[in-house]
DNA sequence: CCATGTGAAGTGATTCACAGCC
DNA sequence: GGCTGTGAATCACTTCACATGG
């Protein structure tokens, strides 16, 4: 079904996340059908852009009518690959790690954190949201045969590379890196960097007086 | 000093955040001077791109030598507008809000959360990291004369618009919206949306088998 | 001599405009 | 009639290539 193989721009994926957010909001409000115009207005985007983004993955609309909200949510979810469960492990049980483990919304979205690891002896054995923190050394054995595809790094930057090596060694193919540190991984492993300050920086830039 | 007024692309701002992260890492490692080539490699970017991004804001390098790491960090920080303190308020003292209030790193970066608000009577009066949760109704009076420029929304989506209206009414010009909901604000107010799932979606997309 | 800063060339995304279809 | 899906035209960003200057 999805993805004609003509290279989909990263920014299209970013926008799909926005469309999904807005569509879910519309669904909650009881909207059944929406056309690209009003959807674009709600997303503060351009209608043709939405139509083009969607046609990367298929034809989901009805000419003269628009898109069925529920169907489009399902189609976009399938296009993004979030119409299934993804098992994850998290390494680094600090403040951020604990907050993520406790954030049940991830589970609701199909991202199940099934293991928490840390190398700090004071944290090993602690329990958060029903998950015991295990020594990072045991990562590989603990996730064997569990179909874990995603690793989340929430360690300090100086441990990020070592942790990434552990994850790669354990067969992980996708890494979500919250550590403020670029990491090196083999070409078949995807890394997404989360910079929790980026949006604050953008705001500061927008608000700062540059009129020197 | 900063910003020749020739429209700076949003994506340049995003990249500056990355450069800053990598430069700070280099600084921790004791690197004193770096040229655009090695910096680009560390950022997984293109050297001319870095040079062009930087020249939007000034000339920070020395021909034949490169960039002084400390000076460049200062220059980029000034360019982004994060070489100063930004007072913030946070509305929505749920899990996410509490995690942000407790995250002392924000303070270290100059983003000081000086007020926490919620409209849930069960949360009002609670205290996190030395900050008492106050009823949202008192937002305006509480932040008057405090030079608060940024508001952070961490409420459920259904309250986001109302909270945004409160913030705008209180004179806030920048909003960081963690709620999965688009909001409408006057043209002179900047909104940055944080979708905590976006990077997970990107990973899922990268890992999902589209070869149907 | 080496790396920056920068116009020019190239590439890729966005928007337009309309044919196709319900 | 109205809205989607899509080639064509436009616009914006990226990369190249080199003149400039320490």
């Amino acid at each position: 079904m999805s993805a004609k193989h003509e290279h989909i721009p990263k920014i299209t994926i970013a926008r799909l996340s926005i469309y999904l957010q807005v569509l879910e909001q519309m669904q909650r409000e009881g909207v059944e059908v929406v056309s690209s115009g009003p959807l674009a207005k709600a997303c503060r985007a351009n209608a043709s852009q939405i139509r083009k983004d969607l046609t990367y993955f298929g034809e989901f609309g009805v000419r003269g009518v628009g898109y069925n909200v529920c169907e489009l949510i399902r189609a976009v979810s399938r296009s993004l690959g979030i119409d299934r469960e993804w098992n994850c492990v998290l390494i680094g049980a600090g403040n951020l790690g604990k907050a993520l483990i406790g954030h049940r919304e991830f589970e609701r979205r199909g991202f199940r954190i099934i293991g928490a690891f840390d190398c700090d002896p004071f944290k090993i054995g602690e329990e958060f949201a029903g998950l015991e923190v295990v020594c990072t050394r045991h990562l590989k054995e603990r996730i064997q045969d569990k179909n874990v595809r995603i690793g989340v790094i929430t360690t300090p930057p100086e441990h990020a590379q070592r942790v990434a090596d552990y994850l790669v060694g354990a067969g992980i193919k996708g890494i979500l890196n919250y550590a403020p540190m670029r990491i090196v991984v083999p070409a078949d492993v995807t890394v997404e960097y989360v910079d929790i300050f980026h949006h604050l920086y953008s705001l500061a830039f927008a608000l700062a007086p540059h009129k020197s």
Side-chain angles (χ1 to χ4, degrees), chain A residues 11-178:
Chain A
I11 191 154
T12 287
I13 302 302
R15 280 193 300 261
L16 287 187
S17 310
I18 298 174
Y19 304 158
L20 198 54
Q21 202 180 74
V22 171
L23 287 166
E24 286 173 346
Q25 183 61 30
M26 288 178 166
Q27 189 180 43
R28 281 196 293 273
E29 289 165 359
V31 179
E32 283 180 17
V33 173
V34 68
S35 59
S36 58
L39 181 56
K41 212 161 119 227
C43 299
R44 285 188 156 31
N46 173 294
S48 342
Q49 176 127 262
I50 293 184
R51 295 200 301 274
K52 185 144 284 186
D53 282 341
L54 292 176
T55 53
Y56 279 120
F57 299 95
E59 305 196 0
F60 307 125
V62 180
R63 287 165 200 236
V65 179
Y67 302 90
N68 178 288
V69 172
C70 294
E71 280 175 25
L72 191 52
I73 288 174
R74 266 204 300 282
V76 171
S77 299
R78 196 166 45 240
S79 303
L80 288 172
I82 56 173
D83 59 337
R84 65 199 76 171
E85 299 261 299
W86 291 94
N87 289 334
C88 311
V89 288
L90 182 144
I91 310 194
N95 279 323
L96 178 58
K98 285 186 270 184
L100 293 182
I101 293 170
H103 200 320
R104 287 282 136 237
E105 195 69 9
F106 283 104
E107 180 111 21
R108 269 212 335 98
R109 297 259 152 191
F111 294 92
R112 302 182 53 208
I113 300 178
I114 64 155
F117 299 83
D118 204 299
C119 57
D120 176 351
F122 288 99
K123 286 184 185 136
I124 293 165
E126 279 196 77
E127 198 177 305
F128 304 106
L131 220 52
E132 192 197 340
V133 178
V134 176
C135 178
T136 311
R137 245 183 314 121
H138 300 125
L139 175 67
K140 189 168 183 178
E141 57 191 82
R142 285 297 181 105
I143 70 175
Q144 267 175 354
D145 317 316
K146 290 240 179 81
N147 191 31
V148 178
R149 312 284 303 282
I150 292 175
V152 182
I153 301 179
T154 50
T155 63
E158 56 271 26
H159 297 149
Q161 183 61 57
R162 189 156 49 87
V163 164
D165 295 341
Y166 269 115
L167 287 168
V168 170
I172 293 290
K173 295 296 177 212
I175 294 177
L176 190 64
N177 184 16
Y178 282 86

